[in-house]
Amino acid sequence: MDNKQKIIPNLWFDGNAEEAALYYLSIFRDGKLINTTYYPMTEAEGLADFQKDLAGKILTVEFEILNTRFIGINADSEFKFNESVSFMIPCKDQAEIDYYWDSLIAEGGEESVCGWLKDKYGLSWQVCPANWDDVLSKKPDAFRKMMGMKKFIIADF
């Protein structure tokens, strides 16, 4: 059976896909750079007239973090990330929550509510306990408490 990931998120960056990939690899310690592709150099290789200023520059950067492959696309500022898509990081304990939260809001990221944040590129993340379903089902006031938090503090549930 093929164990290859069947869906690979493609992330649209404003010309800084390589920088973003290296940023994520510095946070997610198990990560790795998989592949980098480049815009064609000439029209004969497929370069369009409107892309001439991109000839030979990085087109995509494929990387893997937490056993999930992503492709960062070097594009422009036409599209921005928003909260309608986020990536959840289930954490084993408070130390792991603190690590990912602090790392992802550093350098210009933004805290939100209920364990959500945006990193410095505007990508949304949910940093939460791995046993979140148990917490919600066994503690009647957990949802109310969660709604009042930014970063989750496990001891406060």
Side-chain angles (χ1 to χ4, degrees), residues 108-129:
E110 300 173 16
E111 294 181 331
S112 188
V113 296
C114 302
W116 289 49
L117 62 86
K118 283 186 177 184
D119 65 32
K120 69 181 187 174
Y121 297 100
L123 194 59
S124 292
W125 299 87
Q126 296 178 59
V127 182
C128 59

Side-chain angles (χ1 to χ4, degrees), residues 14-103:
D14 187 7
N16 54 359
E18 181 181 41
E19 173 189 308
L22 295 174
Y23 168 75
Y24 297 127
L25 293 175
S26 75
I27 293 171
F28 297 91
R29 297 176 182 136
D30 72 332
K32 61 185 174 184
L33 187 62
I34 296 168
N35 190 38
T36 302
T37 64
Y38 298 86
Y39 282 96
M41 293 292 291
T42 66
E43 287 180 36
E45 294 172 336
L47 186 69
D49 279 343
F50 69 91
Q51 297 172 324
K52 289 196 184 216
D53 60 329
L54 298 172
K57 293 183 179 177
I58 293 175
L59 173 60
T60 64
V61 178
E62 186 173 1
F63 60 99
E64 183 177 294
I65 55 176
L66 298 177
N67 298 314
T68 304
R69 287 188 179 209
F70 292 85
I71 296 176
I73 303 169
N74 262 342
D76 56 25
S77 61
E78 182 176 359
F79 300 111
K80 302 282 187 208
F81 297 125
N82 66 52
E83 293 84 355
S84 66
V85 174
S86 63
F87 295 100
M88 182 182 284
I89 306 169
C91 298
K92 65 182 181 223
D93 56 26
Q94 189 65 50
E96 195 169 44
I97 288 172
D98 293 345
Y99 169 77
Y100 285 117
W101 186 271
D102 295 343
S103 297

